[in-house]
Amino acid sequence: MKLLIVDDSNVIRQRIARLASDARLPNVEIVGQARNGAEALNLFVRHRPDVVTMDLTMPELGGVECTEQIAAIDDNVNILVVSALSDKSTAITALKKGARGFLYKPFTDDQLVQALLEMLPP
Amino acid sequence: MSDLNEAEIKVFIDAVTNYFNQLTQEPANVRGAFLDDHGGGVPVFDYSGQIAVSGQFRGTITVSAPRAMIRHLLLALNESDQSDANLRDTVGELANTLAGNARKHFGGEMEISVPRTAAGAIGSAGSRKRPYVIMVSWKTYSASLVVDIERLE
């Protein structure tokens, strides 16, 4: 499984990268880490990951817009929004733009692994 | 313009409580908010992270914490890189998480910025003369959360 990690926090990106090697997940190849939506778009086009973890509040290009643009390129992509924005309207907007799942910060290790497992293709 | 009410301030207290419970399984002691009546009395520690609020609200949400506490948080996250950049990143992400969680109550009418961080104090774009201060104790450390927000009418 090819994974792209998108978050403006280095600590969060590294944490997700570490948890991606959890034994419960299939072999995960991290194809890139992006600090904003613009970097994410470039990395997505270059590597075509199967799963993207997407922060929402980021500089340059935010996660909702980035999700919409990635979904326009590939509507089969599995985007897991990982965000502190915990209101229903934000989650619904992200899902309408093409996200497949939503995980609220702060998240536990188990919650992230379970959320990634749910993103895997059947 | 109007102040946040008691229930709305509790949203931030609950967000801090949930943050430490979720990430560290070691509960923090979150003391009730008080108004900084005299100005300049807000405790400032080694690193600060701030979120600007806009939309139907205006002001800032600021977290300030000592270096040793943030290092301990990084250890709880299994992060061994305790560089200055990562310490600032962590306090900024903490402010971002608390502000983002507050949107569960306030909804999309409260827009939040990306975090701004600094060593020591950070300037406030808030407008209240008496911001709410919430003191947080975790392990042997103390940190402050300053909610300096008003609702636009």
Side-chain angles (χ1 to χ4, degrees):
Chain A
M1 179 181 90
K2 293 198 289 184
L3 173 67
L4 172 63
I5 300 168
V6 187
D7 201 300
D8 60 342
S9 163
N10 180 56
V11 170
I12 295 290
R13 290 196 307 274
Q14 293 304 318
R15 184 171 176 222
I16 293 173
R18 277 194 302 277
L19 292 171
S21 65
D22 188 279
R24 288 168 287 179
L25 292 167
N27 187 31
V28 176
E29 177 194 359
I30 297 169
V31 296
Q33 297 189 27
R35 295 170 295 178
N36 57 57
E39 285 185 6
L41 274 175
N42 285 333
L43 288 169
F44 182 82
V45 170
R46 196 184 313 161
H47 297 290
R48 290 304 183 104
D50 306 298
V51 177
V52 179
T53 67
M54 179 71 70
D55 189 15
L56 292 183
T57 308
M58 296 184 292
E60 295 192 50
L61 181 67
V64 170
E65 296 82 359
C66 184
T67 294
E68 185 174 28
Q69 293 186 40
I70 285 178
I73 296 168
D74 179 359
D75 62 6
N76 286 318
V77 65
N78 293 295
I79 298 177
L80 172 66
V81 171
V82 182
S83 172
L85 299 179
S86 54
D87 57 302
K88 276 186 185 171
S89 65
T90 297
I92 290 169
T93 300
L95 293 171
K96 280 182 178 172
K97 299 290 186 186
R100 299 265 167 94
F102 209 109
L103 177 65
Y104 298 123
K105 296 177 183 177
F107 55 84
T108 65
D109 293 359
D110 280 347
Q111 286 169 340
L112 181 76
V113 171
Q114 288 301 326
L116 286 173
L117 281 170
E118 287 169 12
M119 288 293 106
L120 295 178
Chain B
M1 289 178 278
S2 66
D3 291 345
L4 301 189
N5 60 38
E6 193 175 331
E8 290 168 332
I9 290 298
K10 189 171 182 302
V11 169
F12 293 95
I13 294 173
D14 290 346
V16 179
T17 303
N18 181 56
Y19 181 91
F20 284 92
N21 283 346
Q22 279 276 68
L23 278 190
T24 73
Q25 286 81 54
E26 190 165 349
N29 180 15
V30 185
R31 279 162 268 164
F34 66 88
L35 280 168
D36 177 27
D37 276 326
H38 307 294
V42 176
V44 173
F45 301 95
D46 299 319
Y47 292 95
S48 299
Q50 186 174 80
I51 300 294
V53 172
S54 58
Q56 292 298 305
F57 297 83
R58 181 173 66 186
T60 55
I61 296 161
T62 307
V63 173
S64 190
R67 179 182 288 103
M69 179 181 180
I70 306 171
R71 282 181 169 160
H72 238 118
L73 275 175
L74 283 170
L75 287 176
L77 296 170
N78 296 315
E79 176 58 68
S80 58
D81 178 354
Q82 305 217 334
S83 63
D84 186 68
N86 265 7
L87 293 171
R88 285 177 65 147
D89 182 296
T90 301
V91 78
E93 184 64 17
L94 173 53
N96 175 60
T97 301
L98 300 182
N101 287 183
R103 292 229 315 193
K104 190 171 185 178
H105 175 86
F106 295 103
E109 293 180 344
M110 176 183 275
E111 297 289 336
I112 68 172
S113 72
V114 295
R116 199 160 66 96
T117 64
I122 191 166
S124 175
S127 55
R128 288 179 49 82
K129 289 178 181 171
R130 297 190 307 163
Y132 287 101
V133 180
I134 298 165
M135 293 304 298
V136 181
S137 298
W138 181 69
K139 293 187 179 289
T140 58
Y141 314 115
S142 289
S144 62
L145 167 63
V146 179
V147 181
D148 187 5
I149 293 175
E150 61 190 352
R151 179 185 281 102
L152 304 179
E153 293 174 348

